[in-house]
Structure formats: C-alpha cells, structure tokens
Amino acid sequence: MNKLDKINFTIKTLDELYPTIPIPLDHKDPYTLLVAVLLSAQSTDVRVNKITPLLFERADNPYDMVKLTVDEIREIIRPVGLSPMKSKGIHGLSQILIEKYDGEVPQEIELLEEFPAVGHKTASVVVSQAFGIPAFPVDTHIHRLMYRWGFTNGKNVIQTEKDAKRLFPKEIWNKLHLQIIWYGREYSPARGWDMDKDIITKTIGRKTVLDEYYKTKKSR
C-alpha cells in the first residue's frame, strides 16, 4: 500500500465502524462544553460526566459560575483531579467571558487559548464540537495511532496535528478525530493491545511497531 491507499483504508474502516459518533462529553451549549473539556484534562470522560451535572446544577453559565467561589467550585470538581488549577480556570474564564464577550464563548481558537487553563487542544475541541469549525484536536489516542499507522513521526502532538491536517481532507476532520479516539479505546489501546482486533494497524501499521509487537508477544 502507498500512503494514499493507507489513508483511504483508514477512513473507510473508521466510517464502517463508526458511521455516527457521539461527542464523549455531556454538554448543552458551548459554555458547558468548554468547562467539560477543561475538566477532562488528565481525567476520563466517564468521571467528568458524573461530575458536570453536579456543577451545572449550581452554575451552567458564566454569570452563575462567578457567583461561586473558587473553593466552592474546587470542592465540587475534586474527583476529576487537578481541582486547584481547574477551579481557578473555570472561575477565571467565566469572568473573562462576562467582561469581554457578553457571556458568549468565542469561536476563534486563538481567543479561547487566552483563557486560563485553556490550551490548544481544549480550544480545538470546543470550536470543532460546539461550532462545527474544522479542527483536529490531538489527544493521547490520536497521537499514539497516528504514529502506529505511520502517519507521523510521533515526536510531539504539535507535529501530529500538522500531519493529520496535511493528510486528511478538511471536511472530515471533526468526525475523524472522534472516530480515531473511539477506535483507539476499543481496538488499539496503549495497554492490553491485541493486534488481531486492531485491523487498521495490522493492515497498514509502521513496520517497527509491528515488529516490536510480535517480538513482545513471542517473549510472553
């Protein structure tokens, strides 16, 4: 297979496995998505989805959120981890939204990145999933699979994002990044990896990755 064949095979396989794909984090609007994505850093979607209803019952908009103290927010979100940083970020960005944007979440990645505790990945998720603007957020699953499939050198997520945007059509970025995340969780995890179930890597994977996998498997 040449590179184009591998790209087409990947897209076709993911479309067959995930013709429709849900957004992992529960939310009702751009603001609640922004908060949920911020909370998901170094946590799991399942854990975040258990905590956000408790938080949003108290405050599901920036005007109500700033009425809470940072300590009150921290106490609610403690189970998701990194609560000191995240609570300050939620309170701070809510204040900025009120002061600069009339309480509305901006649609530009660059503006979102100016908010406390909001990095490039969080901003990319919000613009793609809340506003439908093409973006390619790279999480650990996408970074891992893009390397396993030979689509990037795996040096850092910045390069992985550039390679993904270069290789895949812009009109499918928003769907594709979610499909890769779900595929990584189900078929190509970092641990407990079974190549027989991982049809994409088994078919198009980087030779060094395949050799190392089978070498490790034989030594068990």
Side-chain angles (χ1 to χ4, degrees), residues 92-163:
L93 71 83
S94 298
Q95 191 68 52
I96 294 172
L97 285 173
I98 294 169
E99 293 173 354
K100 294 184 64 175
Y101 301 103
D102 295 323
E104 298 294 326
V105 176
Q107 300 186 22
E108 293 79 14
I109 288 178
E110 296 77 16
L111 295 179
L112 289 168
E113 288 176 335
E114 295 177 357
F115 292 172
V118 175
H120 181 70
K121 178 201 159 191
T122 296
S124 297
V125 170
V126 172
V127 300
S128 66
Q129 297 179 5
F131 301 114
I133 297 170
F136 211 107
V138 174
D139 74 345
T140 55
H141 297 290
I142 293 175
H143 186 53
R144 178 177 68 255
L145 295 191
M146 285 286 290
Y147 176 75
R148 283 182 176 175
W149 296 342
F151 292 151
T152 190
N153 60 25
K155 290 183 178 179
N156 55 64
V157 295
I158 295 174
Q159 186 60 49
T160 298
E161 180 181 341
K162 289 180 180 178
D163 290 334

